[in-house]
Amino acid sequence: MSAAASLRDTLRVPQGPVSIAGFDSGAKPFGGAAPDHDAHELAALQERLWAEATVGGSRRILVVLQGMDTAGKGGVVSHAIGLLGPIGVEYTAFKKPTQEELEHDFLWRIRRRVPGPGMIGVFDRSHYEDVLIVRVHDLVPEAEWEARYDAINAFEQELVDGGTTLLKVFLHVSYDVQRERLLRRLDQPDKHWKFDVADIDERGRWDDYQSAYDALLERCNTDAAPWYVVPADHKKYRNWAVAELLRETLVELDPRHPHPPLDVEALRARLAPPH
Amino acid sequence: MSAAASLRDTLRVPQGPVSIAGFDSGAKPFGGAAPDHDAHELAALQERLWAEATVGGSRRILVVLQGMDTAGKGGVVSHAIGLLGPIGVEYTAFKKPTQEELEHDFLWRIRRRVPGPGMIGVFDRSHYEDVLIVRVHDLVPEAEWEARYDAINAFEQELVDGGTTLLKVFLHVSYDVQRERLLRRLDQPDKHWKFDVADIDERGRWDDYQSAYDALLERCNTDAAPWYVVPADHKKYRNWAVAELLRETLVELDPRHPHPPLDVEALRARLAPPH
């Protein structure tokens, strides 16, 4: 049993300068091979969050998943988010922006998908791509992406003020494990459709991406919306850890069933069987 | 083992006049207590449907769930649709229309939520409410709702022509079982938030609703988009049956992994470890 109070305490990125190279992507902190999560527990917590919103509650959760290719965003969605069930979960994969999206501020498409009260929103990639691929490939002038860190912090503060708890997760996979996973895809013809040759080009810019991650993990690691680094070289641990971060978040929110005033006896009488 | 070829054959509503009262809501046809579904099988089928779409496939599925209060739409979504995992599933609960929605044609809000290629869309209530509650409560003139059956058939034919397979499921619960379930909600304070007093008013119009269902099950039961009646008095059977209808639909579509041309050896060489 770890002495740490929670997995969130353990995986939270410390304030200050960050070098992601200093984080062990193969670690299994906080108990390692923990028991599988009870889907019923998570579903019950989620239902209570949802129930709260039916009587005016404003709380909601936004899970932001980032990571290099093969880090396992899809696996986390299937195996951790998948524990929750479809009602109350809104999943969004942000791809290359469309022409319409590019004609708006970078947060425009993001704002359209933030979760409503009682919901758990899941972003598979997010506004952070606008200080990642955009920065690495100089898709906009430096002055423009440079201003985005503050814009992101202000946006996230706004969400928090409106009742959102953010769970920002960087899935940390090593250069070597990425190589193994890409090679494995090449070995399996049924996985070729997942293979994008551009992924290998991006891998060639590994260090640039790590620097871009270092910057955002430092500059957007606010108390209101902190970052967590989940070691992602081991798939089972990775999936468990994200589910556990979500469970801890729900437990801390401690949503309760509302108890609206009902005249139970009168209602029971109305349900008496017909003569 | 049933002699029927499939659960879809068994549960499909026959062409011609329909009286839902003639269907046994407590039945467990086609094997009854069948084994639980293998979530991996369903997830693998769904992934292939999704994969097809990445190379231009247009096929997709739209599950339409209808039923009286307590019939178990939510339970089906959790336990049958929940087998699929969040990626590739788009769930929409259609509630009382907003002012903006009412200012448009009744299909406007529906069209905005039809699934894209490779997706499985799930409608929890649907355009059929526009010939159910609307008809029972005379929310629009009869001439208007009367015209909607044909409009719905034309709309669904359009979806089918575009590559959608519709799975329209009526969850059939009896008047007595509804009563039991409503009473059970009253017995459990933590379920009171689910209790809408209006549900009892609607129950008072049971026969009107059954007639409205009879009409749509007859008039919108096209070969392109047939209706299935799932007996819903037994929750476990009900959930299993919807999962099985979905499995059969996916198996019949038989989606395949695309095999895009990849120069595997060249890619492997590019992934050689750095010196």
Side-chain angles (χ1 to χ4, degrees), chain B residues 52-75:
Chain B
E52 260 191 11
T54 63
V55 292
S58 64
R59 300 196 298 177
R60 64 203 87 177
I61 293 174
L62 174 57
V63 180
V64 173
L65 296 174
Q66 287 289 158
M68 298 295 287
D69 285 324
T70 76
K73 296 182 290 295

Side-chain angles (χ1 to χ4, degrees), chain A residues 41-54:
Chain A
E41 181 193 0
L42 280 166
L45 283 160
Q46 177 203 14
E47 190 195 69
R48 296 208 292 273
L49 185 68
W50 167 257
E52 260 190 12
T54 65

Side-chain angles (χ1 to χ4, degrees), chain A residues 27 37 40 45 69 73 84 95 112 118 143 193 208 224 268:
Chain A
H37 282 91
H40 293 289
L45 283 160
D69 286 321
K73 295 182 292 295
L84 291 169
K95 316 267 186 190
R112 290 160 64 101
W193 66 276
D208 293 341
R268 225 188 282 272

Side-chain angles (χ1 to χ4, degrees), chain A residues 50 86-90 119, chain B residues 62-63 65-66 73-74 77 90-98 101 109-110 113 121-127 129:
Chain A
W50 167 257
I87 300 176
V89 173
E90 271 177 6
M119 299 293 291
Chain B
L62 174 57
V63 180
L65 296 174
Q66 287 289 158
K73 296 182 290 295
V77 173
E90 272 177 6
Y91 167 78
T92 307
F94 288 99
K95 316 265 187 193
K96 192 178 166 188
T98 64
E101 288 169 349
R109 66 175 186 159
I110 306 293
R113 296 295 298 171
V122 179
F123 285 178
D124 181 339
R125 303 185 188 273
S126 66
H127 42 297
E129 294 296 323

